[in-house]
Structures are given as C-alpha cells and as structure tokens.
Amino acid sequence: MRKKIVAGNWKMNLSIADGVNLVNEVISKLPSLPEQAHVIFCCPFTHLDRVSSSVNNTGNHQVHLGAQNCNDKASGAFTGEISIAMLKETGVDSVIVGHSERRQLFGEDHDFLKRKTDALVAAGMHVLFCCGEPLAVRESNKQNDYVANQLSESLFHLSAEEMMASITIAYEPIWAIGTGVTASTEQAQEMHAHIRSLLAHQFGEEIAQKISILYGGSCNAANAAELFACKDVDGGLIGGAALKSETFLPIIEAMC
Ligand code: 13P
C-alpha cells in the first residue's frame, strides 16, 4: 500500500511561538491516521528544534519533522547553508528538494538538485522532490515533457531501491502555487498518471505503484478531498493552508 502524506510547507512564515502553537494544536486534534498515512511539518530552520520537541512528545511515528532545504556538502565554508547532519540532529527526517521557488528565485539547477537528492538518500532521509511547470508551458501543452525532464535530470539516476526507500514526488504546477487557482482533478490525475508511467518505464511497474505522488498548489480544505480521491494522487504538499490548524486539519482529514 502506498504511503499517504500531507506535508505543510510553511515557507518563510510564522514566528517560532506561532509555529509551536500550530503544531501542538494540530497534534492535539489529529484524527486517527490510517496505518499508511503521514503528516509532515516543514518548518523554517530556526523553528526546527522547538517543533521537534512537540513532534517527539506525541510519540506518534506518523508525525514527522521536515526541512525546506539543505546543502549537499557535509560541512565547510558555505555561508548561510545548512547540512543534512545538522538537520538530522534536530530530528528532521524529511527534506523538500526542487521546490519551484528555490529553482526560480535562488537559481537551483538540475545538477544541484541531483547532488542534494544523492546526499539525502545516502543519509537515509526522506526526500520530497518537487516538479511542476510554469503557466506558459501549460498553455503550450508541453507540461508532460517539462516534468519528465525535471525528473530524469535530477532523480532517474537513482536505483529502484533508493527511489522506493527515499523518494516522494510532489507535483506542484507553478501557476497553482499561492494563486488560488487549483489544478482540476482531471489535470492533477492526468499529470500524476503521467509521472507514474515515467516511473514505471524507468524502474518497473511494481516500484512505480509504490512511490507516493503528492499534489501541491492552492490545495485547501474545500478541494483536498476530491484531489486526494484521484487514483494517482497520494496526498498533498500544502503552503498557505498549512499555516492555521483550522485550514490544515481538514486537509489531513481528507487523507484519512
Ligand atoms: P500553496 O498551497 O500556498 O499554493 O503553496 C503550495 C506550495 O508551494 C507547497 O510547497
């Protein structure tokens, strides 16, 4: 059975106190999660240590601490960067790689994302690997090739075992991120099925059926259930709606 995942990506939002309150509130009202379901809080670096205590206190192995970025190098003169070992030390077990904001605003290219992925896989971390096309690509109906290229450039050098053990894919069409324009269930399912067929072609059908593919982009309490009901949508990577328990909890419930 594929893992179902709802991950909150807080981006550069919330004070530490607000973040801790949010996590405590979500945990205290958490519905009982099916065996294969997981919730991940991807916090800013300064919040990780405090949020880690809240997550650990639950004793619930289905609630995880995630980071939004890391560097591929183990240590050294990399001002402003953070290592995987540092993240692990705070209790992080999942890291977002390849978010469109890091690709577009911070110039992260396929090769850097590949190196980060490799370092995370080697460290036994769970990678939330993001892909997704800009509006112009969608308008010219080239989204399938665009996403295929993102995956093949940074991910498809991994072995089937590594993919299965470490990788979750998040499809986040850039035109849907923070815009209030959600992909339709048809658009989401079509792309997720495409991604699964790429996985099957590269790693075999059995492996492809075991890798979770999340949807992200203006996913909210009102549309999560119908998106998650799509055959190849295994949960969501949530931005704005992950910042309040009232909006995040119904999305978790939609996965249950
Ligand atoms: P929104 O849910 O705010 O559209 O953000 C999605 C996202 O970028 C999650 O990584």
Side-chain angles (χ1 to χ4, degrees):
M1 178 92 75
R2 279 200 295 274
K3 271 193 267 184
K4 289 182 169 212
I5 299 170
V6 167
N9 174 10
W10 297 359
K11 309 192 180 183
M12 198 169 73
N13 293 298
L14 300 178
S15 68
I16 296 177
D18 287 345
V20 169
N21 285 340
L22 167 63
V23 170
N24 287 341
E25 221 170 285
V26 170
I27 287 172
S28 72
K29 295 178 183 163
L30 204 62
S32 99
L33 299 171
E35 203 185 319
Q36 78 281 15
H38 299 264
V39 175
I40 309 174
F41 296 99
C42 299
C43 315
F45 297 138
T46 48
H47 300 36
L48 289 171
D49 197 46
R50 293 274 304 281
V51 171
S52 182
S53 305
S54 299
V55 167
N56 286 334
N57 284 344
T58 64
N60 183 339
H61 69 280
Q62 290 166 280
V63 180
H64 306 259
L65 184 64
Q68 299 170 22
N69 190 22
C70 68
N71 194 272
D72 63 310
K73 304 287 192 307
S75 64
F78 302 103
T79 302
E81 290 294 278
I82 194 151
S83 75
I84 295 166
M86 291 169 186
L87 295 175
K88 268 190 148 172
E89 212 178 340
T90 65
V92 167
D93 66 10
S94 305
V95 180
I96 297 172
V97 172
H99 194 283
S100 60
E101 287 150 19
R102 298 235 42 104
R103 291 177 191 260
Q104 289 190 318
L105 304 174
F106 302 100
E108 296 196 2
D109 61 13
H110 295 311
D111 189 54
F112 188 34
L113 303 179
K114 180 179 178 182
R115 284 187 276 120
K116 285 200 226 198
T117 301
D118 285 345
L120 286 162
V121 169
M125 297 282 254
H126 174 211
V127 179
L128 295 165
F129 187 89
C130 303
C131 57
E133 78 287 355
L135 183 60
V137 170
R138 169 66 60 170
E139 282 175 347
S140 55
N141 201 27
K142 299 249 168 56
Q143 64 274 10
N144 284 2
D145 288 347
Y146 189 93
V147 167
N149 184 53
Q150 288 180 316
L151 299 180
S152 74
E153 289 287 339
S154 304
L155 217 48
F156 282 2
H157 61 288
L158 294 174
S159 70
E161 291 71 27
E162 289 169 330
M163 283 295 292
M164 237 172 58
S166 307
I167 306 295
T168 292
I169 294 172
Y171 170 58
E172 300 204 305
I174 297 171
W175 45 269
I177 295 178
T179 58
V181 180
T182 316
S184 66
T185 50
E186 291 75 21
Q187 287 171 321
Q189 171 53 29
E190 193 176 71
M191 178 56 83
H192 283 228
H194 170 60
I195 292 171
R196 205 172 300 287
S197 77
L198 295 168
L199 291 169
H201 184 254
Q202 185 71 20
F203 303 104
E205 184 62 33
E206 201 186 326
I207 305 289
Q209 288 302 330
K210 290 183 175 156
I211 295 173
S212 302
I213 308 172
L214 314 184
Y215 170 79
S218 299
C219 183
N220 57 39
N223 58 33
E226 60 173 7
L227 283 162
F228 298 173
C230 296
K231 179 168 162 280
D232 289 294
V233 178
D234 304 308
L237 181 53
I238 317 299
L243 299 176
K244 288 188 181 146
S245 62
E246 311 89 86
T247 49
F248 194 47
L249 275 163
I251 299 175
I252 295 172
E253 273 152 25
M255 140 176 96
C256 295

